[in-house]
Amino acid sequence: MSDMASDPKINEDLIAAHGLSSDEYARILEIMGREPTFTELGIFSAMWNEHCSYKSSKKHLRGLPTTGPQVICGPGENAGVVDIGDNQAVIFKMESHNHPSYIEPYQGAATGVGGILRDVFTMGARPIAAMNSLSFGEISHPKTRQLVHGVVAGVGGYGNCFGVPTVGGEVRFDASYNSNCLVNAFAAGLADADKIFYSAASGVGMPVVYLGAKTGRDGVGGATMASAEFDDTIEEKRPTVQVGDPFTEKRLMEATLELMQTGAVISIQDMGAAGLTCSAVEMGDKGKLGIRLDLENVPQREENMTAYEMMLSESQERMLMVLEPSKEDVARAVFEKWDLDFAIVGETIAEDRFLIVHHGEVKADLPLSTLASSAPEYDRPWTQTPQAAPFDEVLEIDPIEGLKALISSPNYASKAWVYEQYDSQVMADTMCTPGAGAGVIRVHGTDKMLAFTSDVTPRYVKANPYEGGKQAVAEAYRNLSAMGAKSLATTDNLNFGNPEKPEIMGQFVGALKGIGEAVIALDMPIVSGNVSLYNETDGKGILPTPTIGAVGLIEHADQLISGVAENGDLAILIGSAGSHLGQSALLAEAFGRSEGDAPYVDLEVEKRNGEFVRTNGSNIKAVTDLSDGGLALAAFELAVEGGTGVSLETDDINELFGEDQGRYLLACSFDQAEVLMSLAAQQGVTISVVGKFAGAEAAFGQVSADMDGLVDVYKGSLPNALN
């Protein structure tokens, strides 16, 4: 075994810099029976970091429900695959690009979008929709404006140029994200259910082919960086952020989908975190084969790249595939037509080895299976989050002032400034655009539609991880039901702080328990996902933020509920009157307080009320679920969408701003309301008339304000705060 004399000597500092503990390094020595080379150390670091190995979370992730009659492929592949009938499948996933987006907002967010799109088209699907869930620090924090502008521009810049509609998402602001923003990117695509491509290599002596853009030094060590806390050395980490090119990615997608029609692809994997290392190891490990790579054949855009740099580069727009040898000329012609690199860089081998050769010199020779399936797995100690004291204080506030406190906050003001920078109409299949509930895309050439949403309320999860986890799934279910969509499945993006702290690990365990129960009860199995841990800076963690991305099916166009409230419509509440102000938006925004327990989620009521709304769309003009801000904010937003006023009969603060779950607000005519009342009585659904949509004011009991002035506040607060 030889290695370049210029490679640094392996010592304790170098091991720690690679994110490996002394115990993990001892395990490496035991596996290899010798000291690793510098390149081998880098490979172990890449494969054993939290981002790639899930070493702190694997034990708990195994308990999540991932199967169902609609599931074609659950977690473990590039993305989840779900049957939507007629031999069609929707393929989707959500992933984080948190740390890179904080260091370099534009490129961090852009390459997050690029990576999740590759996960989808690597499986043979043409992307049809994107979403993003963004969490930033306080708007007054000196870095927040720069991060928001950079991240939003990066998301829009990549998605718009690539040509995929961004149809939904969420944006929040909280001090816990001041030094660690979250950028969670979602993508979905469509494919024929019998033409899905997987990543397991098969066959010995098969060519391993590098596809796409050239390899550079950008992103070297990115996965390891993403598995560590931040500190005051953050600027030094800038070189670990990748640089994206959406036009190259567009060509890569077209070339890949064309290649898949030729029969040349045995298996295929995109190069994401840990680049060439992770893609090769995953393909070999899933196929129970070894891989040999000859690095001099890797297309490079920089001179004198070392084996270490090539193996750990996270340059974007690259794929790795195992090729059917007889189809080499056909496959090469496809990629040359699209002006992309096509290079045979190795072959599959029978032995359990990951053999890396550079100019005839062996740079790494490792047992391949130990890099993936035998990575460390920890059962971290955890402590249960203490039970929060119930919040039973009477809040004294004028209800209109309460509404103003919400709509003037960046958290609940209109997000049009954000989503208007995204192209939501490209491909001409978008039925419902951002800002009005779940995004809806027509399945081209059919009468079907797919609905997409992402949801979580982090303050609930912090107060009560179990109920907060349930609530994130329940809110996603409600958002889909409110469009008339039947929930199909979910993807999760689990963002937490340092798992080595028992209280943080307790948040993770509790949230997963709640998520698991909810996806079973609401028939929304988890088919893909991502865990992002160590979201901490100087020891301060983010709010626990387990984002739930959900997909629903609308089988016929007439089932879509997408109208607006009209002058004279009744305001109908499905579910109980509001009462719960603990951890509410009103408490946070009007009083600056975060107290009490998260609201209880009754999953049986959620399912019953959701199905009632979904199956009675013909008697509903417009509907929104009740979540943050309760009845008052929901009624105001429906009125804004319809260009009308709203009058609610109550001025009770708990009824107006309580965040009790399982509830919807409907706008419908008198005749429609009569039908709904009768059906609800038969089905055991709680229903009541709470007001009407009319006039030019927002009125709560006897207190009112001019809608025009409120709308100005609602639409102007976010852009004013950011500019």
Side-chain angles (χ1 to χ4, degrees):
M1 171 65 58
S2 60
D3 214 337
M4 292 176 69
S6 60
D7 282 346
K9 181 169 174 54
I10 293 174
N11 55 32
E12 287 183 11
D13 289 344
L14 192 65
I15 293 164
H18 280 74
L20 293 163
S21 69
S22 55
D23 287 347
E24 287 168 346
Y25 185 68
R27 185 168 175 174
I28 291 170
L29 294 178
E30 188 181 327
I31 287 168
M32 299 187 65
R34 59 172 172 81
E35 190 174 272
T37 66
F38 181 53
T39 300
E40 288 171 336
L41 183 72
I43 289 170
F44 271 110
S45 164
M47 292 305 301
W48 283 14
N49 67 58
E50 199 72 59
H51 193 77
C52 293
S53 73
Y54 294 92
K55 58 190 175 188
S56 296
S57 56
K58 269 190 290 199
K59 177 181 186 295
H60 303 285
L61 294 173
R62 289 192 188 100
L64 288 173
T66 59
T67 59
Q70 70 273 44
V71 178
I72 295 172
C73 176
E77 275 293 338
N78 286 293
V81 185
V82 177
D83 192 343
I84 62 169
D86 306 314
N87 194 42
Q88 289 182 302
V90 59
I91 290 129
F92 62 94
K93 189 181 185 184
M94 191 172 225
E95 280 210 335
S96 59
H97 232 225
N98 303 337
H99 285 46
S101 298
Y102 186 80
I103 297 168
E104 177 41 70
Y106 184 93
Q107 291 296 349
T111 52
V113 174
I116 202 69
L117 289 168
R118 279 197 307 283
D119 279 338
V120 167
F121 70 73
T122 300
M123 297 196 71
R126 182 172 290 276
I128 59 164
M131 292 191 297
N132 50 82
S133 178
L134 311 177
S135 303
F136 298 106
E138 292 171 298
I139 209 109
S140 59
H141 188 269
K143 197 168 170 74
T144 296
R145 288 178 182 81
Q146 176 214 346
L147 288 171
V148 175
H149 282 273
V151 165
V152 171
V155 168
Y158 205 101
N160 297 353
C161 293
F162 179 86
V164 64
T166 299
V167 298
E170 51 188 346
V171 184
R172 69 179 57 84
F173 298 87
D174 185 88
S176 74
Y177 307 107
N178 277 351
S179 301
N180 200 126
C181 63
L182 302 183
V183 175
N184 294 177
F186 169 100
L190 281 173
D192 291 343
D194 58 355
K195 293 177 184 168
I196 309 296
F197 287 81
Y198 297 101
S199 57
S202 63
V204 174
M206 296 296 173
V208 174
V209 182
Y210 174 113
L211 306 167
K214 289 178 166 56
T215 294
R217 291 186 171 93
D218 53 323
V220 172
T224 302
M225 174 273 294
S227 304
E229 287 186 36
F230 280 157
D231 52 30
D232 54 13
T233 64
I234 187 165
E235 284 303 318
E236 297 170 16
K237 296 183 170 75
R238 190 173 298 276
T240 62
V241 178
Q242 314 92 324
V243 177
D245 178 354
F247 298 107
T248 298
E249 176 120 337
K250 176 72 170 173
R251 287 185 287 122
L252 179 61
M253 177 191 72
E254 297 296 351
T256 301
L257 295 179
E258 186 175 330
L259 178 74
M260 288 168 169
Q261 306 304 313
T262 66
V265 179
I266 293 176
S267 64
I268 189 162
Q269 174 79 34
D270 86 293
M271 289 195 224
L276 194 52
T277 290
C278 195
S279 55
V281 169
E282 286 190 9
M283 290 171 80
D285 187 57
K286 287 174 184 172
K288 295 185 167 40
L289 292 167
I291 302 271
R292 173 194 167 109
L293 295 178
D294 294 294
L295 296 186
E296 62 272 17
N297 297 329
V298 170
Q300 299 158 55
R301 67 166 187 262
E302 300 187 48
E303 293 183 1
N304 302 318
M305 288 191 71
T306 65
Y308 179 95
E309 289 170 332
M310 279 186 272
M311 291 309 297
L312 298 188
S313 166
E314 293 184 8
S315 294
Q316 295 293 286
E317 293 86 41
R318 302 180 302 157
M319 315 274 264
L320 198 66
M321 80 161 177
V322 176
L323 171 73
E324 166 55 51
S326 65
K327 303 277 189 178
E328 180 186 337
D329 291 345
V330 175
R332 186 184 298 276
V334 169
F335 272 75
E336 287 178 353
K337 181 183 89 171
W338 287 100
D339 194 23
L340 293 164
D341 278 296
F342 177 101
I344 295 175
V345 294
E347 65 175 359
T348 58
I349 55 179
E351 304 91 340
D352 177 23
R353 292 171 75 190
F354 192 33
L355 185 60
I356 311 299
V357 181
H358 193 203
H359 296 303
E361 190 176 10
V362 175
K363 308 301 287 184
D365 189 353
L366 305 164
L368 186 143
S369 60
T370 60
L371 292 166
S373 31
S374 301
E377 181 176 327
Y378 297 123
D379 185 0
R380 304 268 190 207
W382 58 275
T383 56
Q384 191 165 328
T385 302
Q387 178 70 44
F391 183 84
D392 49 18
E393 184 181 326
V394 176
L395 293 179
E396 298 288 347
I397 189 170
D398 176 286
I400 291 294
E401 292 307 310
L403 178 64
K404 285 180 179 175
L406 295 182
I407 62 176
S408 61
S409 160
N411 280 309
Y412 306 109
S414 168
K415 303 300 189 299
W417 181 89
V418 174
Y419 60 71
E420 284 174 357
Q421 297 185 53
Y422 306 149
D423 189 340
S424 61
Q425 299 290 345
V426 63
M427 299 170 76
D429 282 320
T430 305
M431 304 301 292
C432 295
T433 55
V440 178
I441 294 285
R442 180 177 52 186
V443 179
H444 202 69
T446 76
D447 201 32
K448 293 180 293 196
M449 300 176 190
L450 289 166
F452 305 96
T453 186
S454 73
D455 298 283
V456 66
T457 308
R459 64 181 185 279
Y460 291 172
V461 186
K462 184 176 185 186
N464 188 328
Y466 170 67
E467 288 297 337
K470 280 163 63 180
Q471 193 276 340
V473 177
E475 188 172 340
Y477 171 80
R478 290 198 301 271
N479 279 329
L480 296 177
S481 299
M483 306 307 297
K486 178 176 171 53
S487 300
L488 284 176
T490 53
T491 179
D492 58 6
N493 202 151
L494 306 171
N495 309 273
F496 289 82
N498 184 345
E500 295 167 48
K501 296 179 177 177
E503 66 274 19
I504 301 294
M505 202 64 212
Q507 292 174 349
F508 184 85
V509 172
L512 249 61
K513 184 182 177 193
I515 289 168
E517 283 191 21
V519 298
I520 288 175
L522 302 174
D523 193 20
M524 302 166 71
I526 292 174
V527 297
S528 58
N530 170 244
V531 178
S532 175
L533 302 177
Y534 295 96
N535 288 291
E536 297 205 356
T537 299
D538 296 327
K540 291 180 185 170
I542 60 160
L543 285 175
T545 311
T547 310
I548 299 295
V551 178
L553 176 66
I554 300 169
E555 292 186 335
H556 302 287
D558 57 8
Q559 295 171 345
L560 174 66
I561 310 171
S562 63
V564 296
E566 297 173 337
N567 205 49
D569 284 346
L570 294 178
I572 306 288
L573 177 66
I574 301 291
S576 61
S579 61
H580 188 97
L581 286 174
Q583 298 299 333
S584 65
L586 180 72
L587 190 62
E589 301 296 347
F591 296 89
R593 294 160 62 185
S594 177
E595 298 165 35
D597 202 354
Y600 170 67
V601 180
D602 185 326
L603 294 168
E604 196 176 312
V605 170
E606 288 284 359
K607 186 158 194 180
R608 182 168 64 236
N609 291 357
E611 287 183 349
F612 180 81
V613 169
R614 179 174 62 83
T615 56
N616 285 292
S618 59
N619 286 300
I620 300 170
K621 288 188 185 175
V623 57
T624 182
D625 80 302
L626 269 61
S627 52
D628 295 86
L631 177 62
L633 188 58
F636 174 77
E637 289 177 340
L638 272 189
V640 172
E641 279 291 307
T644 182
V646 63
S647 173
L648 298 179
E649 294 167 0
T650 185
D651 61 1
D652 182 90
I653 295 301
N654 289 58
E655 289 185 25
L656 286 170
F657 296 98
E659 296 182 5
D660 307 64
Q661 299 295 296
R663 303 190 301 155
Y664 300 80
L665 184 65
L666 282 51
C668 53
S669 69
F670 183 85
D671 290 345
Q672 289 174 320
E674 278 198 321
V675 174
L676 291 172
M677 293 279 186
S678 173
L679 291 168
Q682 296 168 33
Q683 296 173 29
V685 170
T686 302
I687 188 168
S688 56
V689 179
V690 293
K692 64 179 179 180
F693 294 94
E697 291 184 327
F700 303 140
Q702 302 303 309
V703 188
S704 63
D706 179 64
M707 272 299 284
D708 286 345
L710 293 173
V711 170
D712 287 345
V713 172
Y714 177 65
K715 292 187 174 178
S717 292
L718 184 61
N720 290 343
L722 289 172
N723 293 323

